[in-house]
C-alpha cells in the first residue's frame, strides 16, 4: 500500500546521479547552478523535483538526459555511465515542441522513423500510444488544431514511443491552465499505471508533486542542492480527491516549508 | 474526427471564398487606377502634342505590342530574359542557401565573412555589370551571374536567420532520438527554416529580374533589356514601353509563382 518501498536499497537504481555540479560561465562572471547533487531513482518510481525558479532544475534534467555533459560528477543509467543522449530516455518539455508540418501520428512516429524502424510497425505503435493518451480520433490532425493539453498528450505519446526506461518531464504542465493541468496530472498517473515507467518530473507545483510522486526531492535555490527528500506515503491508486485528505495537507505543508 | 474535419473543411472553403473576394477587390482596386492612368496618359499626349518619339500614346504602344507579339520578336526576347532570370535565381538560391547553412553553424565564421558580404552589397550591380560582361562575354552567363549575385543577399540573410531560429529544445529532442546530422537537417532544420527562406526567395525573385536586365543593358544582343536599348538607339519609345511593361509583368508573375510554391509548401504554416 505504501510507496515507501521505492527506496533504492532493494532493487538497483534505474538512474543514479552522483555529486553533480555545474557552473555556467557568462560575461558577468561564473554562476554556480548545481552543487554536489546526488540521488537515485528506483525502477517504476515516480520522483518529483521541486524548487524555486533558478535552482537549476532544467540543467539537472538535461544532464540526466545526456544532453549536457556534467562538469563534475556523473549520471548512470542502469549502472552504465551516461555519456550522451539515449533512446531509453524519453523527454517532455514544458512546450509540446511538436513539428507543425507533421500530423499527430507523424509526430509520434518520428523517433521510430529516425531509428529506421519499418513504417507499418511504427504507425501501429504510434497509434497504440495515441489511443493510450486518449487522442485516437486525432491521429491525422495538425498540431495547430490541438489545444495545449492535447498537444502535451501527443508529446507524452512521442516520449513513450521508444518504450524508454525512464521518462524525464520538465514542467510538462507548466504552460497549461489550472483545470487542464489538474486533469493532465490524473491522466499522467493513469498512463504511468498502465506503462509502469520510471518517471522524473520537474514541477513548480507542490500540490502536483505530492499528488503524483512516490518521493519529492526539494532543491535549494542557486546553487541547487538537495535540501530534503520526502516519501509520499499515500496509497495508490490515487485520484484527484486525495489532495483534500489531512495527510496530503500536512505533507504539502512540510514540503512547502522545506523550500523556504 | 468528423467534427474536426467539417470544421477544417469549412475553414478551407471560407479561406477560398475570402481569397477569391480578396483577388476580386484587388483587381478592382488595381484596375481602376490603371484605367484612369492610361486615360490621363492619352489625354496628356494629345493636349500637349508631345512628339511620339518622346512620349507615345497608349494606343501606339498597343500597336507596337501587337507588331512585336505578332512576328514573335517579343516572345523571343522575353524567353531569353526569363531563362536568364530563372537560372540566376536558381543559382543565387542554391549558393545563398549553402552559404547560409555554413554561416548559421558558426558565429565565428559569420563574424569573419559578414563585413565582406555587406561590402559586396554596397557595390551597385550597375557598376560591375560591364566588368562581368567583359569577363564572361555578352552571352547568358554574365546575366545569370548578375541575376544570381543580386538575389543572393536577401536569401542568404533569411536562410541564416531561419536556420538559427530552430527551437533549441527541438534540437535536443532530435539529439535524444539519436538523429544523424542529415536527418536533423532534412526533418527539422529545413522544414522549420522554410518559411523564412521562402520569404527571402520572394524578394530575391524580383531582384533577379533587375540583375538580368542590367546585364543585358551592359552588353547583349537579345533579351528585354536589349530591346529597351534598341528602342533607345532608334528613338522608338513605344518599343521601350512594350519591353518595360513586359518586364513588369514578368517580375510580377515570378513573384506570384514563388508565392504559389510558398503556399503549397507551407500549407501547415499560418
Amino acid at each position: 500500500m505504501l510507496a515507501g518501498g521505492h527506496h533504492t536499497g532493494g532493487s538497483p537504481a534505474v538512474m543514479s546521479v552522483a555529486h553533480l555540479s555545474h557552473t555556467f560561465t557568462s560575461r558577468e562572471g561564473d554562476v554556480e547552478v548545481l552543487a554536489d547533487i546526488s540521488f537515485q531513482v528506483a525502477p517504476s518510481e515516480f520522483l518529483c523535483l521541486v524548487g524555486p525558479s533558478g535552482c537549476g532544475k532544467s540543467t539537472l534534467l538535461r544532464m540526466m538526459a545526456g544532453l549536457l555533459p556534467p562538469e563534475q560528477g556523473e549520471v548512470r543509467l542502469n549502472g552504465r555511465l551516461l555519456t550522451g543522449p539515449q533512446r531509453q530516455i524519453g523527454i517532455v518539455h514544458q512546450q509540446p515542441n511538436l513539428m507543425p508540418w507533421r500530423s499527430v501520428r507523424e509526430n509520434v512516429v518520428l523517433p521510430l522513423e529516425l531509428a529506421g524502424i519499418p513504417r507499418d510497425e511504427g504507425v501501429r505503435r504510434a497509434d497504440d500510444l495515441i489511443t493510450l493518451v486518449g487522442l485516437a480520433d486525432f491521429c491525422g490532425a495538425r498540431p495547430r488544431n490541438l489545444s495545449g493539453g492535447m498537444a502535451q498528450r501527443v508529446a507524452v505519446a512521442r516520449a513513450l514511443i521508444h518504450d524508454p526506461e525512464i521518462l524525464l518531464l520538465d514542467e510538462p504542465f507548466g504552460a497549461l491552465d489550472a483545470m487542464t493541468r489538474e486533469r493532465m496530472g490524473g491522466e499522467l498517473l493513469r498512463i504511468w499505471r498502465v506503462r509502469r515507467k520510471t518517471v522524473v518530473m520537474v514541477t513548480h507545483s507542490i500540490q502536483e508533486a505530492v499528488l503524483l510522486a512516490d518521493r519529492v526531492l526539494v532543491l535549494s535555490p542557486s546553487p541547487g542542492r538537495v535540501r530534503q527528500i520526502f516519501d509520499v506515503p499515500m496509497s495508490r491508486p490515487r485520484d484527484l480527491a486525495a489532495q483534500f485528505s489531512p495527510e496530503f495537507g500536512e505533507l504539502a505543508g512540510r514540503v512547502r516549508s522545506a523550500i523556504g | 474526427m468528423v467534427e474536426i474535419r467539417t470544421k477544417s473543411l469549412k475553414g478551407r472553403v471560407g479561406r477560398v471564398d475570402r481569397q477569391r473576394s480578396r483577388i476580386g477587390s484587388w483587381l478592382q482596386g488595381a484596375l481602376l487606377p490603371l484605367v484612369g492612368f492610361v486615360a490621363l496618359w492619352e489625354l496628356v499626349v494629345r493636349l500637349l502634342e508631345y512628339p511620339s518619339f518622346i512620349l507615345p500614346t497608349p494606343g501606339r504602344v498597343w500597336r507596337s505590342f501587337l507588331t512585336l507579339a505578332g512576328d514573335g520578336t517579343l516572345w523571343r526576347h522575353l524567353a531569353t530574359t526569363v531563362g536568364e532570370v530563372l537560372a540566376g535565381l536558381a543559382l543565387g538560391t542554391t549558393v545563398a542557401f549553402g552559404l547560409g547553412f555554413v554561416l548559421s553553424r558558426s558565429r565565428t565564421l559569420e563574424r569573419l565573412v559578414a563585413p565582406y558580404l555587406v561590402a559586396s552589397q554596397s557595390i551597385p550591380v550597375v557598376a560591375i555589370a560591364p566588368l562581368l560582361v567583359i569577363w564572361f562575354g555578352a552571352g547568358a552567363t554574365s546575366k545569370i551571374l548578375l541575376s544570381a549575385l543580386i538575389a543572393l543577399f536577401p536569401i542568404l540573410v533569411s536562410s541564416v536567420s531561419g536556420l538559427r531560429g530552430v527551437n533549441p529544445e527541438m534540437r535536443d529532442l532530435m539529439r535524444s532520438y539519436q538523429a544523424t546530422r542529415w536527418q536533423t537537417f532534412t526533418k527539422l532544420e529545413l522544414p522549420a527554416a522554410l518559411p523564412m527562406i521562402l520569404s527571402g526567395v520572394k524578394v530575391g525573385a524580383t531582384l533577379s529580374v533587375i540583375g538580368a536586365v542590367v546585364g543585358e543593358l551592359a552588353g547583349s544582343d537579345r533579351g528585354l533589356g536589349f530591346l529597351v536599348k534598341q528602342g533607345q538607339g532608334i528613338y522608338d519609345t513605344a518599343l521601350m514601353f512594350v519591353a518595360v511593361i513586359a518586364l513588369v509583368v514578368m517580375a510580377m508573375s515570378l513573384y506570384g509563382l514563388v508565392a504559389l510554391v510558398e503556399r503549397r509548401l507551407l500549407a501547415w504554416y499560418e
Side-chain angles (χ1 to χ4, degrees):
Chain A
M1 184 186 102
L2 295 182
H6 280 298
H7 284 292
T8 48
S11 42
V14 173
M15 186 170 274
S16 65
V17 171
H19 308 295
L20 271 191
S21 299
H22 198 75
T23 305
F24 279 123
T25 322
S26 72
R27 225 166 278 172
E28 290 82 43
D30 293 354
V31 185
E32 195 182 11
V33 282
L34 297 172
D36 196 28
I37 298 230
S38 298
F39 62 89
Q40 300 202 317
V41 192
S44 307
E45 182 182 15
F46 199 130
L47 176 71
C48 273
L49 306 179
V50 295
S53 37
C55 68
K57 288 170 297 197
S58 296
T59 308
L60 176 58
L61 221 58
R62 286 193 79 213
M63 286 181 182
M64 291 170 74
L67 291 165
L68 186 68
E71 284 170 346
Q72 282 170 46
E74 57 176 41
V75 178
R76 284 178 183 274
L77 179 66
N78 288 323
R80 274 203 312 276
L81 194 66
L82 190 66
T83 51
Q86 294 290 322
R87 287 185 179 137
Q88 293 94 335
I89 303 175
I91 301 170
V92 178
H93 293 115
Q94 183 171 356
Q95 298 301 325
N97 289 329
L98 302 177
M99 295 181 169
W101 53 88
R102 284 175 171 249
S103 67
V104 166
R105 178 186 282 129
E106 295 302 319
N107 265 288
V108 177
V109 136
L110 176 75
L112 295 182
E113 186 182 313
L114 296 172
I117 285 166
R119 168 106 196 135
D120 26 325
E121 191 198 333
V123 168
R124 190 172 46 72
R125 279 164 65 179
D127 285 1
D128 280 353
L129 283 169
I130 294 166
T131 309
L132 175 72
V133 299
L135 292 176
D137 289 345
F138 295 91
C139 280
R142 294 272 167 173
R144 68 155 183 268
N145 294 327
L146 304 179
S147 69
M150 286 157 83
Q152 204 55 293
R153 286 166 198 239
V154 178
V156 171
R158 182 179 55 183
L160 288 169
I161 192 96
H162 271 310
D163 201 18
E165 305 204 21
I166 186 165
L167 212 50
L168 302 179
L169 313 176
D170 190 0
E171 295 187 49
F173 311 136
L176 304 176
D177 64 87
M179 299 273 277
T180 313
R181 182 174 189 148
E182 215 176 66
R183 216 177 45 241
M184 287 294 286
E187 193 73 350
L188 185 61
L189 275 185
R190 185 180 63 77
I191 293 165
W192 177 70
R193 224 157 36 225
V194 176
R195 286 289 170 135
R196 270 303 180 196
K197 293 290 169 208
T198 307
V199 176
V200 177
M201 174 168 144
V202 165
T203 174
H204 269 121
S205 160
I206 297 165
Q207 293 270 35
E208 201 169 77
V210 174
L211 180 64
L212 300 180
D214 295 314
R215 287 191 301 157
V216 177
L217 189 154
V218 176
L219 288 168
S220 64
S222 70
R225 294 173 202 275
V226 180
R227 184 167 270 173
Q228 207 170 339
I229 300 180
F230 294 89
D231 284 313
V232 182
M234 289 184 302
S235 60
R236 292 200 187 266
R238 295 178 201 153
D239 54 24
L240 296 178
Q243 53 190 319
F244 304 112
S245 70
E247 54 175 340
F248 183 97
E250 190 262 336
L251 185 57
R254 282 200 290 141
V255 174
R256 182 82 202 81
S257 52
I259 291 174
Chain B
M1 187 66 182
V2 170
E3 199 184 292
I4 263 222
R5 265 216 194 117
T6 45
K7 218 198 263 171
S8 73
L9 199 64
K10 252 186 236 158
R12 203 172 300 157
V13 170
R15 217 175 301 146
V16 169
D17 275 354
R18 243 175 294 140
Q19 223 162 287
R20 196 169 295 153
S21 72
R22 218 189 301 145
I23 289 170
S25 67
W26 180 83
L27 272 180
Q28 275 172 1
L31 226 48
L32 223 60
L34 186 67
V35 170
F37 175 75
V38 171
L40 191 71
W41 174 6
E42 181 86 40
L43 205 70
V44 165
V45 177
R46 278 169 197 251
L47 286 180
L48 303 180
E49 294 175 350
Y50 276 121
S52 69
F53 67 86
I54 299 284
L55 187 61
T57 61
R60 231 189 142 79
V61 173
W62 177 248
R63 278 194 300 281
S64 175
F65 165 75
L66 289 181
T67 317
L68 289 165
D71 67 7
T73 313
L74 180 62
W75 310 128
R76 218 170 44 247
H77 292 287
L78 180 68
T80 302
T81 307
V82 167
E84 290 161 359
V85 166
L86 288 181
L89 184 60
L91 179 67
T93 305
T94 311
V95 173
F97 180 70
L99 203 56
F101 180 76
V102 173
L103 292 188
S104 74
R105 296 273 140 152
S106 158
R107 295 258 176 206
T108 325
L109 198 63
E110 194 196 4
R111 264 198 295 278
L112 280 173
V113 176
Y116 298 98
L117 283 171
V118 175
S120 77
Q121 277 308 294
S122 60
I123 304 171
V125 190
V126 189
I128 53 167
L131 204 57
L132 286 183
V133 171
I134 290 177
W135 287 346
F136 298 99
T141 313
S142 53
K143 284 83 199 169
I144 292 171
L145 284 175
L146 280 165
S147 175
L149 217 56
I150 197 171
L152 185 96
F153 199 65
I155 305 172
L156 174 66
V157 170
S158 65
S159 298
V160 171
S161 36
L163 290 168
R164 283 257 167 83
V166 176
N167 182 345
E169 284 187 347
M170 303 265 264
R171 287 186 187 279
D172 269 1
L173 285 175
M174 291 300 274
R175 282 180 61 205
S176 82
Y177 307 144
Q178 299 187 317
T180 61
R181 270 164 179 261
W182 178 247
Q183 284 175 327
T184 306
F185 175 67
T186 55
K187 305 214 184 251
L188 173 64
E189 292 170 332
L190 190 60
L194 205 56
M196 278 288 249
I197 296 170
L198 283 178
S199 68
V201 174
K202 264 200 294 197
V203 178
T206 44
L207 289 177
S208 65
V209 177
I210 298 177
V213 171
V214 166
E216 287 169 358
L217 288 171
S220 69
D221 56 2
R222 65 198 69 177
L224 292 172
F226 167 75
L227 219 51
V228 172
K229 222 170 79 168
Q230 198 185 37
Q232 185 194 21
I234 56 173
Y235 279 85
D236 187 349
T237 42
L239 170 64
M240 295 169 80
F241 268 90
V242 171
V244 168
I245 292 168
L247 275 172
V248 171
V249 172
M250 184 188 124
M252 284 175 74
S253 312
L254 193 60
Y255 182 90
L257 192 71
V258 179
L260 199 73
V261 170
E262 188 182 30
R263 204 169 319 139
R264 268 289 157 87
L265 285 177
L266 304 184
W268 54 270
Y269 186 85
E270 302 236 329

